[in-house]
Amino acid sequence: MTNQQQHTHSLETLFEPYTIHQLTIPNRIVMSPMARAFAPEGVPGEDTALYFRRRAENGVGLVIAVGMIDHPAASSEPRLPNMFGEAALNGWREVVRQVHEAGGTIFPQLGHMGMIRPGGSQPYPDTLSIGPSGLDMEGNLVSEPMTEEEIAKVIQAYADAAVNAQQAGFDGVELSGGHGLLIDQFFWEKTNQRNDRYGGDFLKRTRFAAEIIQAVRTAVGPDYPISIRLSQWKMTDYTAKLVDTPEQLEQFLNVLVNAGVDIFHISTRRFWEPEFAGSELSLAGWVKKLTGKTTITVGSVGINDDSAEGEEADQQGLDELLKRLDNQEFDLVAVGRALLGDPAWAKKIREGRMEDIQAFTPEAAANLY
């Protein structure tokens, strides 16, 4: 097979439909969840609907949007969209309608910031931030550990948000379990020093996430897709690790699979980097190998880190992505910054027009277009 034939075959794979349960995603391209903070008082408006529609009608198969759960310490920004309240849910119904009309599918990523939420944040400045042990991301004690009653309330808030999403027409839900947000704070030893059933070794630290997954699964039924986004790294520590070996990773993942996860959305800073010594497999590749579950890769897709400004369309990176997709290292590909820079990124990739792709710039990140 020639390189050109291989490249064509790989592009065909990228644009093949993918089915999970009763949901068929029209292709393998996912818009990564990005907290844009363009929803006044937590209500997504017509501009948000057009923003997501623009990506769907230009070839994104699955859009993942950020939605905050109903808890006073969940968010640090009143313009982050809520997944609760009549006004916000009506706004989301229009978002969903427009994405579907454009031929795409859409999940919300349900989030709670935990201890990375700065104290005094709006919309509830008098509410203390919460975390498993009251420790910030540097390990400093800044509040009391969450009580089991508080834990139960947060778990219920996730389940309620998932039901809200289902009733608003979303095609599935994702849980934000990486990057140092609340679920990840339970996973990470540095922020979870509990000695009850929600803490201890790396397996015991999965209990909070497993109970959220179980609650969501009970609430939405057996066939509604549930994804969880995971990362080793944190926004405050790029070198952080939850597990050190494939054996630990398998044990960790099995807890989440048994709780009801359908999809693993695996975030790394660079999708091509090997996770463990002695293997070229990325973290997403290991997750797919160990669980067999639907796996999404994400991390600098479409961004050339070696260019002077990190803006160029990345042909070499695309070739590596397609090769790994062909090798079934993952099933779906999440794209973040490249889709901020150019809403038509997926369409231009499909048509072989990489030279026409608009560069990602900080200005692109500052606008909802």
Side-chain angles (χ1 to χ4, degrees):
M1 180 180 291
T2 68
N3 288 340
Q4 181 59 41
Q5 287 172 325
Q6 178 67 36
H7 184 75
T8 302
H9 172 63
S10 300
L11 269 179
E12 289 174 356
T13 304
L14 186 62
F15 289 94
E16 285 177 353
Y18 186 85
T19 298
I20 180 166
H21 296 315
Q22 278 79 49
L23 175 66
T24 296
I25 301 167
N27 61 53
R28 310 302 181 91
I29 297 176
V30 178
M31 183 174 185
S32 183
M34 291 172 279
R36 306 305 311 284
F38 286 115
E41 298 182 355
V43 178
E46 179 66 18
D47 54 351
T48 303
L50 292 173
Y51 165 76
F52 287 123
R53 181 194 181 106
R54 194 169 291 120
R55 273 76 186 172
E57 65 191 8
N58 277 288
V60 170
L62 171 62
V63 167
I64 304 182
V66 169
M68 307 309 291
I69 68 170
D70 188 6
H71 187 273
S75 174
S76 66
E77 168 56 73
R79 295 172 298 172
L80 286 174
N82 296 325
M83 196 50 64
F84 62 89
E86 183 177 359
L89 295 176
N90 283 337
W92 281 124
R93 288 184 183 96
E94 178 61 14
V95 171
V96 169
R97 186 191 71 77
Q98 295 223 26
V99 169
H100 285 168
E101 188 174 84
T105 59
I106 182 168
F107 290 11
Q109 185 191 76
L110 306 177
H112 190 301
M113 296 182 70
M115 296 301 296
I116 66 170
R117 171 183 175 268
S121 294
Q122 299 291 340
Y124 300 105
D126 296 330
T127 298
L128 294 175
S129 298
I130 61 170
S133 299
L135 302 172
D136 66 17
M137 302 307 286
E138 284 71 48
N140 303 309
L141 183 65
V142 295
S143 64
E144 293 298 315
M146 289 174 70
T147 65
E148 291 208 6
E149 181 181 7
E150 287 174 321
I151 288 172
K153 286 180 179 178
V154 171
I155 291 171
Q156 186 60 51
Y158 272 102
D160 292 344
V163 170
N164 289 343
Q166 188 178 40
Q167 292 178 347
F170 284 92
D171 300 292
V173 293
E174 179 165 285
L175 306 173
S176 182
H179 303 157
L181 278 75
L182 181 61
I183 293 174
D184 197 21
Q185 289 161 32
F186 274 84
F187 288 147
W188 197 27
E189 184 177 18
K190 188 171 183 177
T191 47
N192 184 349
Q193 296 287 312
R194 302 175 73 97
N195 54 19
D196 64 358
R197 60 195 180 125
Y198 292 99
D201 64 27
F202 76 97
L203 283 181
K204 292 178 180 176
R205 294 196 299 272
T206 64
R207 185 183 188 106
F208 178 65
E211 290 189 358
I212 291 171
I213 296 161
Q214 289 166 347
V216 170
R217 174 57 70 208
T218 298
V220 299
D223 297 325
Y224 195 65
I226 298 174
S227 173
I228 186 167
R229 199 179 211 200
L230 300 175
S231 71
Q232 295 252 49
W233 66 280
K234 321 300 170 201
M235 287 185 282
T236 57
D237 186 349
Y238 291 143
T239 64
K241 298 286 186 184
L242 299 178
V243 296
D244 296 310
T245 67
E247 292 76 20
Q248 288 181 335
L249 179 62
E250 184 172 26
Q251 295 176 64
F252 176 88
L253 294 169
N254 282 344
V255 175
L256 307 181
V257 169
N258 292 335
V261 165
D262 300 301
I263 303 168
F264 286 105
H265 188 171
I266 304 302
S267 177
T268 53
R269 295 187 67 210
R270 300 174 182 89
F271 75 86
W272 60 88
E273 291 184 341
E275 186 61 31
F276 301 115
S279 170
E280 290 299 308
L281 278 181
S282 65
L283 182 58
W286 275 107
V287 170
K288 179 67 179 177
K289 177 180 178 178
L290 294 171
T291 68
K293 291 289 185 180
T294 297
T295 303
I296 307 172
T297 193
V298 67
S300 299
V301 174
I303 297 293
N304 185 350
D305 284 341
D306 295 326
S307 69
E309 299 180 359
E311 296 176 350
E312 301 171 3
D314 186 9
Q315 179 66 59
Q316 184 177 354
L318 177 63
D319 291 342
E320 180 68 20
L321 182 79
L322 296 177
K323 181 184 77 172
R324 290 174 181 262
L325 180 63
D326 266 354
N327 290 339
Q328 300 182 332
E329 193 170 311
F330 40 77
D331 304 291
L332 302 164
V333 176
V335 184
R337 288 171 289 168
L339 275 170
L340 293 186
D342 193 335
W345 182 89
K347 182 180 181 182
K348 291 175 182 178
I349 290 291
R350 185 169 198 173
E351 295 174 352
R353 296 192 293 126
M354 290 195 68
E355 69 279 2
D356 295 334
I357 291 175
Q358 298 176 50
F360 167 77
T361 64
E363 289 75 23
N367 295 302
L368 193 71
Y369 77 100

